[in-house]
Amino acid sequence: MGCFVKALFFSVSVLSLVATAALAQVPTQAANQPMPESASATPPIEAPRDAPYAGTLKVAVDATDLDRKIWNVTTTMPVSKAGDFVFLYPQWVPGGHSPRNDLDKLAGLVVTANGKRIPWTRDVVAVNAFHVDVPAGVTEISISYQFLTAVEAKVGRTEVTPEMLNLQWLQVTLYPAGYYTRQIPINASVKLPDGWKLATALEIAKTDGATTTFKTTTVETLVDSPIFAGKYFKSIDLDPTGPAPVRLNLVADSPELLDAKPEHIQIHKDLVQQAYKLYGAHHYDHYDFLVALSDKIGGIGLEHHRSSENRVVPKYFTEWDKSFVRRDLLSHEYTHSWNGKFRRAADLWTPNLNVPMRDSMMWVYEGQTQYWGNVLAARSGLLTKQQALDSLASTAALYDNRRGRDWRPVQDTTNDPIIANRKPLSWLSWQRSEDYYSEGLMVWLDADTLIREKTGGKKSLDDFAKAFFGVDNGSYVPRTYTLEDVVSTLNGVYAYDWATFLKTRIQDVQEKAPLDGYARGGYKLVYTDTPTEFMKSAETQNKSTSLSYSLGLSVGSDGMISDVQWGGPAFKAGLTQGLTVVAVNGDAFDGDKLRSAVTAAIKPENPLVELLIKDGGRYRMVKIDYRGGLRYPRLEKIPGVPSRLDDILAPRK
């Protein structure tokens, strides 16, 4: 595989991960310098080892305080000896690819033993770690605390509304240091508001009034098994006679939103069958789609091995023909059961949730999932073929115009979850952000159409999916891989220089977008003055006017500029996001007037687009030097080229 494989995509052994964890806890000391007093205040933290933990943890969550959105939590933790004992709050978020768990929302921490309070000390280096000095004769400690869910958007994602909640065990679970999370038994329970129902991948042991107790599991499985619960709830069996139960669990802002037509339920059933046809195996004993039909709960799309958290528009079912933008969410998160949870990059796997993860293979984990999510959405009917093509056109145009490609390779964007922590950026088109998702999609489309072309349609990336993800049927024990494994499996489908293919598109700076897959698929990207139905729907959902490929900006319905393309006409005119468009050519702003002004400016005798801009307390007139008219992306058939893309999107029989 050459130096690219060895230098860039290295695999990490369990021993090196443990060593990294241990080193991360020990501050470096300059030669001949005494250790600072503050750095020696807490003992070192034991590195995780693959050995059973003696005893079973218990965690109980009271989630009934809907008014103040506070969860009261108690954890009981067995201890085997006196002295320094360390418990951890999870730091790294699986599926979030970064250390961004909500430690700031953990409050009111009190530790007791035998009914007496004992002090705790936060580690001076690893702030997610807490030390307690366990008295002699104590066999367990009790830890009580509150998790303060966000009460408004500026504080964080909304997890509690009067109608529903989204409980992530990752946010409320403490666990002992020194062990793999798969080796720590835990018993969990939750108390919900009266009359509420819940869905989770956890197995229920008993229900006593408003309290549900789950069967004992491991910390690893618990934090991978969140809960959606609500006042308005429905659960639908998507595969009654299949190899494992698959359920569509719905919570909604109001009861009428749960009304789904049989044909729409059938589409979700078809998603399960199309996934089985693609992968040739499943990796769960049951699977639960957790879906919030809401505009009140915070947005989410997060994968788990036996479930997924998804928020869709409230009228997902009741306005089916209007709600198709982002409808690939469920197919994307479902695919992660195979790609990301079962097959996982070796350098991403960690023994616990406080050892750093490494994201170098995100272009497989997320990039190929983005590809299969779109493909399965079309094959199942979540999207029509035209909607899927229009979505792919939007992706192609995004990277056809993203100037950050001039300096930054896709590989480096795999670091973005850690670098930017998913914060907003001032110049997205120049900085790039997690482009391994959708540019990764384009690379895998390139690979798929190449295989189809070279084999005369006898082989495809479907064969890779079955060979790579379809092993160990029924198992949900993670199976790691390296780049060598990806390349070897591709060569098993069709012999080619896949190492160079991937290096060029992932590691190297590529100023031109990877559009070869579209061309081989029988389509080319073009721009017209009329938006596709997909783009119209996206603008409606986003409450914006998108002129990214003409004026080089997008504007919200309130006139606020939400994005400016680096190097585009608006950029050259000195505009940035965050400014407000007050007027267009002397008339009060609205999106239609802005579009009309762009169209009128095509004729040289007409004025250029002139905007009155509000910048804080200042106003200024800005004239944009552009006469190219409206430009919206779409895909156009290439005469004489087989429509391989149509074949890719067609349902499997």
Side-chain angles (χ1 to χ4, degrees), residues 467-478:
F468 199 71
F469 303 116
V471 295
D472 299 343
N473 186 33
S475 171
Y476 46 99
V477 176

Side-chain angles (χ1 to χ4, degrees), residues 119-142:
W120 57 266
T121 304
R122 192 187 300 268
D123 193 87
V124 295
V125 175
V127 295
N128 287 60
F130 300 86
H131 297 255
V132 293
D133 187 8
V134 177
V138 168
T139 58
E140 69 177 24
I141 60 174
S142 179

Side-chain angles (χ1 to χ4, degrees), residues 259-274:
D259 292 334
K261 295 180 179 179
E263 59 266 31
H264 300 151
I265 296 302
Q266 185 60 50
I267 286 171
H268 293 80
K269 291 181 177 181
D270 291 343
L271 171 60
V272 177
Q273 299 309 316
Q274 287 297 319

Side-chain angles (χ1 to χ4, degrees), residues 487-604:
V487 170
S488 175
T489 306
L490 284 168
N491 275 316
V493 176
Y494 174 72
Y496 191 72
D497 187 3
W498 291 108
T500 299
F501 175 95
L502 294 172
K503 175 185 181 298
T504 302
R505 291 157 179 78
I506 300 298
Q507 184 188 16
D508 295 349
V509 170
Q510 295 286 312
E511 295 182 9
K512 292 184 178 180
L515 296 175
D516 289 351
Y518 289 78
R520 266 192 239 99
Y523 288 86
K524 63 179 178 181
L525 174 66
V526 298
Y527 296 89
T528 69
D529 60 4
T530 304
T532 62
E533 291 302 313
F534 189 90
M535 289 207 69
K536 289 179 183 177
S537 182
E539 284 191 329
T540 299
Q541 282 197 26
N542 296 331
K543 298 179 181 179
S544 69
T545 300
S546 178
L547 301 173
S548 296
Y549 312 125
S550 52
L551 290 185
L553 52 72
S554 294
V555 189
S557 57
D558 59 355
M560 181 77 73
I561 297 176
S562 57
D563 184 57
V564 173
Q565 291 280 341
W566 186 272
F571 176 91
K572 293 175 181 177
L575 297 180
T576 70
Q577 69 178 33
L579 303 178
T580 301
V581 180
V582 177
V584 180
N585 291 353
D587 292 329
F589 166 80
D590 69 41
D592 289 338
K593 288 177 183 176
L594 184 56
R595 281 185 282 263
S596 295
V598 172
T599 299
I602 294 174
K603 297 180 179 180

Side-chain angles (χ1 to χ4, degrees), residues 166 168 199-201 224-228 246-249 271 286-292 300-311 329-337 341:
N166 178 199
Q168 296 178 322
T200 177
D224 194 44
S225 306
I227 290 173
F228 268 20
V246 180
R247 294 176 285 260
L248 180 65
N249 303 287
L271 171 60
H286 61 88
Y287 189 91
D288 286 89
F289 289 99
L290 311 178
V291 183
I300 193 168
L302 188 60
E303 67 271 16
H304 304 281
H305 210 140
R306 300 184 299 163
S307 64
S308 58
E309 297 168 273
N310 311 271
R311 192 204 74 177
L329 175 63
L330 268 63
S331 52
H332 178 103
E333 303 304 346
Y334 187 37
T335 285
H336 271 314
S337 181
K341 304 307 291 187

